[in-house]
Amino acid sequence: MDIKCLRTFQAVVACGTYAKAADRLGYTQSTVTVHIKQLERDLGLPLFERIGRRMVLTQKGAEALAQAAEIIAAADRLAALGTEEMALQGTLRVDLAETLLCYALDEVIAAFRERAPGVALRLRDRTCAQVSENLRDGSCDLGLTYAFDWQPEDFSIEEVGQIRTTLVAAPGVSLPDFQSAGQLVGLPFIIDEPDNVFRIALEQTLDARGVMLAETMELWSSQAIKRLVAMGMGFSVFPRFAVADELARGAFVEIPDPFGERTFPVYLGHRKTHWLTPAARLFCDLVREHLASDNEKAAASG
């Protein structure tokens, strides 16, 4: 049974006459007639009866039409699947904040690999400033980070989630007091780049309270920072998802948060002047879905 005959059958019903169906499909009227006769031979039953100048479905024809619609829809879905598979090719370059790459996007990456096996996915951990610069100069296709350092005109910057932070230290150390004004905190603050969004927010909050940090140690690796914190060498601030495992097993303890209920946005960016490929659109959709789900879980847990 030819799918073309089923499509012609559907068009004749929709248009009411062979002539109008031929115009819609770009066929000659004789071709439409051949398709309908071929389908009637295949099914072994008449599909239409003529009433005046219109072709009207027989009772069996109406049943056949419903099943033909299902077959056509299934064929269209199958064709679209092949088109999508062909479109999901090439290379996708995504620059991300390190904590997002290392601790937040495992499910996104796994889902992307499953749905787009033909795409070479290039993921790079970068500082927020580097993500901004790389988007600007075109060395990455997408950027996922906590802040962009310029006001974009040719860029699409979308907030895709909100996260909370947690200040952590090793069990047994003397925890710093961030709640009382005028304190000198002796436990070193271990953090990475000076432009780290969470670092800036903490330092501004403490400065407003007159709380001084005696020492700040800079390490440009979240894993290295975690190791030193676990050794009791200092405290740090992380997105909560990045230290959830350590808190759960007691490797870290939580320091009362001077931010209160403050949250920080997660941004997804790309150049407006560059066509967003099917692979890039898929990655964006997966990120939005995953972060929205995480936010709902966080809200439900209080």
Side-chain angles (χ1 to χ4, degrees):
M1 189 178 301
D2 193 335
I3 190 69
K4 290 183 179 178
C5 294
L6 295 177
R7 294 187 189 279
T8 299
F9 174 38
Q10 195 176 54
V12 170
V13 175
C15 296
T17 67
Y18 283 13
K20 290 181 180 178
D23 287 341
R24 171 183 288 190
L25 297 171
Y27 295 154
T28 64
Q29 187 170 336
S30 61
T31 299
V32 171
T33 301
V34 169
H35 284 182
I36 296 302
K37 287 183 177 179
Q38 179 63 51
L39 186 57
E40 288 179 330
R41 283 197 297 271
D42 290 341
L43 296 176
L45 53 87
L47 298 172
F48 294 100
E49 57 182 346
R50 185 178 294 276
I51 298 180
R53 301 180 65 180
R54 290 183 61 83
M55 301 301 295
V56 179
L57 283 171
T58 63
Q59 181 177 350
K60 288 295 185 181
E63 295 177 16
L65 178 65
Q67 295 185 44
E70 294 178 4
I71 294 171
I72 291 169
D76 288 343
R77 288 194 298 271
L78 188 60
L81 183 64
T83 300
E84 178 182 331
E85 183 68 21
M86 291 179 63
L88 291 173
Q89 302 291 334
T91 300
L92 179 62
R93 304 166 302 167
V94 186
D95 284 0
L96 313 89
E98 184 193 16
T99 47
L100 289 170
L101 175 58
C102 294
Y103 307 110
L105 296 183
D106 289 358
E107 294 179 14
V108 169
I109 295 168
F112 184 86
R113 298 307 309 143
E114 180 179 355
R115 294 175 59 176
V119 176
L121 184 60
R122 303 286 185 258
L123 302 175
R124 304 185 301 182
D125 64 280
R126 294 293 185 264
T127 67
C128 294
Q130 288 171 337
V131 172
S132 298
E133 182 59 32
N134 293 345
L135 267 185
R136 184 188 289 114
D137 66 23
S139 60
C140 68
D141 304 306
L142 299 173
L144 190 65
T145 186
Y146 303 112
F148 283 96
D149 65 355
W150 85 101
Q151 294 297 318
E153 294 181 357
D154 295 332
F155 297 83
S156 173
I157 307 299
E158 171 190 358
E159 182 181 314
V160 291
Q162 289 278 335
I163 61 107
R164 292 190 181 278
T165 57
T166 299
L167 277 72
V168 293
V173 304
S174 179
L175 298 183
D177 177 10
F178 293 133
Q179 307 304 318
S180 302
Q183 300 292 312
L184 176 63
V185 176
L187 190 66
F189 181 32
I190 308 175
I191 197 65
D192 54 12
E193 54 170 320
D195 292 331
N196 180 299
V197 173
F198 315 127
R199 173 179 179 172
I200 292 172
L202 177 62
E203 290 174 342
Q204 289 176 344
T205 299
L206 299 184
D207 185 62
R209 296 183 182 181
V211 176
M212 300 290 292
L213 297 172
E215 182 181 358
T216 297
M217 300 172 57
E218 289 188 3
L219 293 175
W220 290 62
S221 162
S222 61
Q223 286 296 326
I225 293 171
K226 281 187 174 185
R227 284 197 294 271
L228 289 189
V229 170
M231 292 169 59
M233 301 292 292
F235 75 94
S236 191
V237 58
F238 280 95
R240 190 170 186 85
F241 61 75
V243 290
D245 288 344
E246 287 85 356
L247 289 170
R249 66 173 186 265
F252 288 164
V253 294
E254 190 170 355
I255 302 170
D257 193 344
F259 295 136
E261 296 299 314
R262 178 173 177 177
T263 61
F264 295 84
V266 179
Y267 295 106
L268 177 65
H270 65 86
R271 293 179 66 95
K272 291 180 181 177
T273 53
H274 284 49
W275 178 62
L276 206 58
T277 66
R281 291 198 298 271
L282 172 60
F283 193 89
C284 291
D285 289 343
L286 291 171
V287 167
R288 294 185 190 103
E289 179 182 341
H290 179 68
L291 292 183
S293 174
D294 280 356
N295 286 341
E296 290 173 2
K297 292 176 184 176
S301 64

